[in-house]
Amino acid sequence: LAPEYERAASILKAKKIKIAKVDATVESELGNRFGVTGYPTLKIFNKGEPTDYEGERTAQGIVEELEAAVSDAAKELDTIFDTEQLTEGDDHVIIGFFNSKDDAEYRTYQNTANKLRKKYAFYYTTTESVMKHYTGVKPGTFTIFFPKFFVSKHDKVSVTKAIKGDVEELSAFIESNKYTLVGSRTNRGLSKAVHEFEDKPLVVVYGDFNPSPDFRAESKVYFEQVADIAKQFKGKAQFAISQELEYEQELVNYKIGDQDGDFKAVAFTADGKKYVKDEDSTLDEFVSAALGGDIEPYIKSEPEPKKNNGPVKILTGKNFEKIVNDKNSDVLIEFYAPWCGHCKSLEPKYKKLGKKLKDVDGIVIAKMDATANDYPPQYEVQGFPTIYFVSKENKVAPKAYEGERDVNGFLKFLRENSSANIPAAKKKKKAAKKVEKEEEAPKDEL
């Protein structure tokens, strides 16, 4: 990062944007104050308010992020027409109302917008006619306008709050009031109507849903039916609807692509579990059962091997917990893909490791085809092969293996991290004694 950071500093100096660095191992109090737990950590301070840097770690990326960050996120609206163009759409819109930009509340609002600029569209107005157009609005307040299509008969069209307190308080209000009963999920991720799982399950309902003008009325009827059920579980689960055609492969994977009935649905939980609605249950029955733990979670899994006593244990979605969470053993796991060239190169070395440790109590060498099986979310597999070590003392916090991918590298790591009696490294044989007589110890010619 250092050379890129230096180049960015040189470019931004002319724009009067300051770039700084702190050795947090020396200034530990400062690091703790801003929640620094790893290095390098980048933060942007805009008018004193810190936000995490999430851009590219290149000179150009840093320059672009900071040029955007130094300008306030909330943009001005002058007319009722401009305001209605935004509030009648299908995205979240947040608008602050002020007498002038000199109002004390204005700066707090802009700082809040700067903090949340990646999540929401922020605007403001000082135009009196715009304020009078909206009921309950007055200077020193802001209003969250919900995506128009996703406002059901059970939802408010908007929610308004007086600007009191600091940025954290306003941010917390926005985050806790960002949802309508039912949002949208797309292949681009969770839409602005639903940002993350948080601590509640997400129930996704798949159907012939299309909010474009030609299909909007019909889709709205379908949406309201889902909202009626979502209302029963308000505060217990989040709901989102997805276009069935967009998630065709996902439905095939869950074996509900050809399912009949009014609703196809899957409930996702923050701990990585998935519950799939069967054909015979109603949507409300399914959600009740999923929330109550009355149905088994869906697990994508290869068939369990009939015999699994080889040097490298085969993990599947169904036997993962039994083998990995066995409190009597540490486990080394390779997550691989059948098509991965690096995985194929590793295979003989990994098998040799398994053979060396097959008779050692308290250590299991295992592997899993990560493309064909589900595994817990704490295992972040972003490339192949990915290798984790799981201690018998702590089954919830696996440790990523980053050492040499050969037998000696694995053994060295396991001696340092495993409680099992890993064989010691063999001492190298002593070099043969030098032969004193020249004729018995010929030299290579120069």
Side-chain angles (χ1 to χ4, degrees):
L1 177 65
E4 297 293 329
Y5 204 62
E6 293 289 345
R7 281 194 286 273
S10 298
I11 296 169
L12 291 168
K13 185 176 181 180
K15 302 174 186 288
K16 296 184 179 179
I17 299 174
K18 296 176 182 177
I19 293 282
K21 63 181 180 180
V22 175
D23 183 346
T25 64
V26 176
E27 303 291 344
S28 56
E29 186 177 337
L30 194 61
N32 292 335
R33 178 182 168 191
F34 293 106
V36 175
T37 57
Y39 305 104
T41 293
L42 301 183
K43 289 184 180 284
I44 298 173
F45 288 79
N46 190 355
K47 297 178 176 66
E49 289 294 331
T51 56
D52 291 336
Y53 176 86
E54 297 176 346
E56 293 183 10
R57 295 192 172 194
T58 62
Q60 188 60 34
I62 294 168
V63 168
E64 290 175 359
E65 283 285 321
L66 287 179
E67 284 181 332
V70 295
S71 60
D72 282 328
K75 305 307 177 187
E76 188 170 14
L77 297 171
D78 293 321
T79 68
I80 293 172
F81 176 80
D82 290 340
T83 308
E84 285 195 329
Q85 287 289 102
L86 294 167
T87 59
E88 294 298 312
D90 288 331
D91 279 318
H92 272 86
V93 176
I94 302 174
I95 302 177
F97 301 92
F98 308 96
N99 285 318
S100 77
K101 290 192 284 186
D102 294 327
D103 294 355
E105 297 89 350
Y106 172 82
R107 189 67 260 155
T108 304
Y109 176 76
Q110 280 288 13
N111 288 343
T112 304
N114 293 336
K115 179 179 179 180
L116 299 177
R117 71 197 308 153
K118 294 285 182 80
K119 282 189 170 184
Y120 308 99
F122 284 87
Y123 299 88
Y124 75 92
T125 185
T126 57
T127 304
E128 187 177 356
S129 60
V130 174
M131 281 186 265
K132 287 182 177 179
H133 186 70
Y134 295 99
T135 305
V137 162
K138 58 183 181 181
T141 66
F142 71 91
T143 300
I144 303 172
F145 294 89
F146 297 113
K148 203 70 175 178
F149 181 86
F150 298 100
V151 175
S152 74
K153 59 180 178 285
H154 306 295
D155 292 304
K156 294 179 179 179
V157 174
S158 62
V159 60
T160 299
K161 176 177 172 55
I163 301 174
K164 295 179 180 179
D166 58 13
V167 169
E168 294 304 319
E169 187 177 332
L170 266 61
S171 298
F173 177 84
I174 292 169
E175 293 291 356
S176 62
N177 287 275
K178 61 189 172 187
Y179 299 125
T180 49
L181 275 173
V182 182
S184 170
R185 176 174 174 260
T186 75
N187 269 329
R188 296 180 301 279
L190 297 177
S191 78
K192 290 182 180 178
V194 181
H195 284 289
E196 63 275 310
F197 291 112
E198 291 187 334
D199 58 346
K200 294 185 281 291
L202 173 67
V203 179
V204 177
V205 181
Y206 306 82
D208 190 13
F209 156 73
N210 189 340
S212 61
D214 291 343
F215 303 97
R216 195 176 182 91
E218 184 179 345
S219 294
K220 190 69 172 176
V221 173
Y222 176 80
F223 171 84
E224 290 289 355
Q225 291 173 353
V226 177
D228 288 342
I229 295 166
K231 185 175 184 294
Q232 300 176 34
F233 300 96
K234 186 176 181 179
K236 298 177 181 178
Q238 300 170 84
F239 280 72
I241 50 179
S242 288
Q243 171 58 264
E244 191 170 326
L245 289 176
E246 191 177 2
Y247 283 91
E248 189 173 8
Q249 186 56 51
E250 185 169 278
L251 294 173
V252 170
N253 292 343
Y254 294 138
K255 299 179 175 60
I256 56 175
D258 297 326
Q259 193 180 90
D260 292 327
D262 293 335
F263 301 109
K264 300 173 184 177
V266 177
F268 300 87
T269 61
D271 61 0
K273 291 188 174 67
K274 309 177 192 74
Y275 297 88
V276 178
K277 178 185 171 297
D278 63 34
E279 199 170 48
D280 298 326
S281 61
T282 62
L283 183 58
D284 56 338
E285 289 172 344
F286 161 68
V287 177
S288 292
L291 295 182
D294 298 326
I295 55 177
E296 289 294 318
Y298 169 86
I299 300 175
K300 181 171 75 170
S301 178
E302 294 178 295
E304 292 188 56
K306 291 180 180 179
K307 292 183 179 181
N308 201 7
N309 54 4
V312 178
K313 296 280 187 186
I314 305 301
L315 299 179
T316 68
K318 290 183 177 178
N319 72 9
F320 188 94
E321 186 170 345
K322 179 182 177 182
I323 295 175
V324 175
N325 291 345
D326 180 358
K327 293 184 178 180
N328 296 312
S329 296
D330 298 333
V331 185
L332 188 70
I333 311 168
E334 176 204 358
F335 293 92
Y336 72 94
W339 42 260
C340 166
H342 294 298
C343 303
K344 292 174 182 177
S345 297
L346 177 63
E347 186 174 3
K349 302 171 191 174
Y350 202 66
K351 189 173 182 179
K352 185 176 180 180
L353 173 70
K355 287 180 177 179
K356 278 184 172 289
L357 300 179
K358 190 175 188 297
D359 297 323
V360 177
D361 291 335
I363 183 69
V364 171
I365 308 302
K367 67 178 183 178
M368 170 184 264
D369 180 351
T371 68
N373 298 279
D374 280 340
Y375 47 87
Q378 63 263 37
Y379 297 87
E380 295 184 10
V381 180
Q382 298 178 337
F384 300 107
T386 292
I387 301 169
Y388 277 99
F389 172 76
V390 190
S391 166
K392 68 181 182 182
E393 306 298 334
N394 187 351
K395 295 294 185 180
V396 297
K399 182 176 182 177
Y401 175 80
E402 296 175 349
E404 293 295 323
R405 291 179 179 178
D406 56 32
V407 175
N408 288 334
F410 288 128
L411 288 172
K412 181 177 183 293
F413 174 87
L414 291 173
R415 289 188 197 104
E416 295 169 354
N417 292 275
S418 176
S419 59
N421 188 22
I422 307 298
K426 291 182 179 180
K427 293 181 180 180
K428 293 181 179 179
K429 292 181 180 179
K430 292 182 179 179
K433 290 183 178 180
K434 291 182 180 179
V435 181
E436 293 180 0
K437 293 182 180 180
E438 189 173 329
E439 63 270 21
E440 292 177 3
K443 303 288 188 299
D444 291 335
E445 290 185 3
L446 296 175

